[in-house]
């Protein structure tokens, strides 16, 4: 299946470009966000334009650009690849601790092992993640 997006070139002419599914999804998210903001502005229009401008400015500070989202997706993909390269025990313990929020003690009790073994497993995954971050 092919994915296409329409962009404006340097002469101001719209062109259709074939892209990967990831890039297409980023463009779709951006398009939906713009449409959502436009509809929100239409629904909540009032005489208080100054407040609206301030709210829009503050919202723009929270939203990330297309490039930032692409970089975040790439970083996330790299992190997932690193986690997949770890042992199943390391993956499970990392998931329980960092994603679900279990403490080392809770994981150790659940897996019937020492708290030190849990800490060591999780620290090995974190060490691998730090290496790819650099």
């Amino acid at each position: 299946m092919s994915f296409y997006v329409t962009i404006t070139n340097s002469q101001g002419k719209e062109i259709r470009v074939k892209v990967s599914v990831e890039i297409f999804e980023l463009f779709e998210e951006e398009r939906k966000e713009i449409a959502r903001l436009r509809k929100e502005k239409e629904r909540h229009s009032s005489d208080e334009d100054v407040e609206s401008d301030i709210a829009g400015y503050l919202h723009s500070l929270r939203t990330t650009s297309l490039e930032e989202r692409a970089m975040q997706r790439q970083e996330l993909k790299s992190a997932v690849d690193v986690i997949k390269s770890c042992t199943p025990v390391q993956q499970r313990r990392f998931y329980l601790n960092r994603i679900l929020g279990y403490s080392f003690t809770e994981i150790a009790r659940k897996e019937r092992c020492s708290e030190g073994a849990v800490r060591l497993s999780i620290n090995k995954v974190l060490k691998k993640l730090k290496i790819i971050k650099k």
Side-chain angles (χ1 to χ4, degrees), residues 19 21-22 43 45-46 49 51 54 57 61 65 68 77 79 89-90 92 98 106 113 118 120:
V19 294
V21 67
E22 292 86 8
R43 276 187 301 227
S45 62
S46 68
D49 289 335
E51 286 183 20
I54 292 171
Y57 173 72
L61 292 177
S65 71
E68 289 172 333
K77 184 182 179 318
V89 172
Q90 291 171 338
R92 182 179 61 250
R98 296 301 170 142
E106 291 170 323
C113 66
V118 172
L120 184 64

Side-chain angles (χ1 to χ4, degrees), residues 3 17 23-24 29 57 69 74 97 107 125-126 133:
F3 295 93
V17 180
I23 300 300
F24 178 80
E29 287 175 17
Y57 173 72
R69 281 190 273 181
Q74 184 57 41
N97 179 253
I107 298 168
V125 177
L126 291 173
K133 194 171 183 178

Side-chain angles (χ1 to χ4, degrees), residues 26-78:
L26 288 173
F27 271 87
E28 276 299 296
E29 287 175 17
E30 186 78 13
R31 183 192 60 76
K32 288 176 184 177
E33 179 67 15
I34 290 168
R36 186 190 67 75
L37 290 172
R38 187 182 69 248
K39 287 179 184 177
E40 183 178 305
K41 187 173 182 177
E42 290 171 0
R43 276 187 301 227
H44 301 291
S45 62
S46 68
D47 296 333
E48 302 168 3
D49 289 335
V50 174
E51 286 183 20
S52 175
D53 290 344
I54 292 171
Y57 173 72
L58 293 175
H59 179 73
S60 72
L61 292 177
R62 288 194 314 262
T63 58
T64 56
S65 71
L66 197 57
E67 294 95 16
E68 289 172 333
R69 281 190 273 181
M71 288 178 58
Q72 288 170 348
R73 281 184 187 234
Q74 184 57 41
E75 289 173 357
L76 183 60
K77 184 182 179 318
S78 298

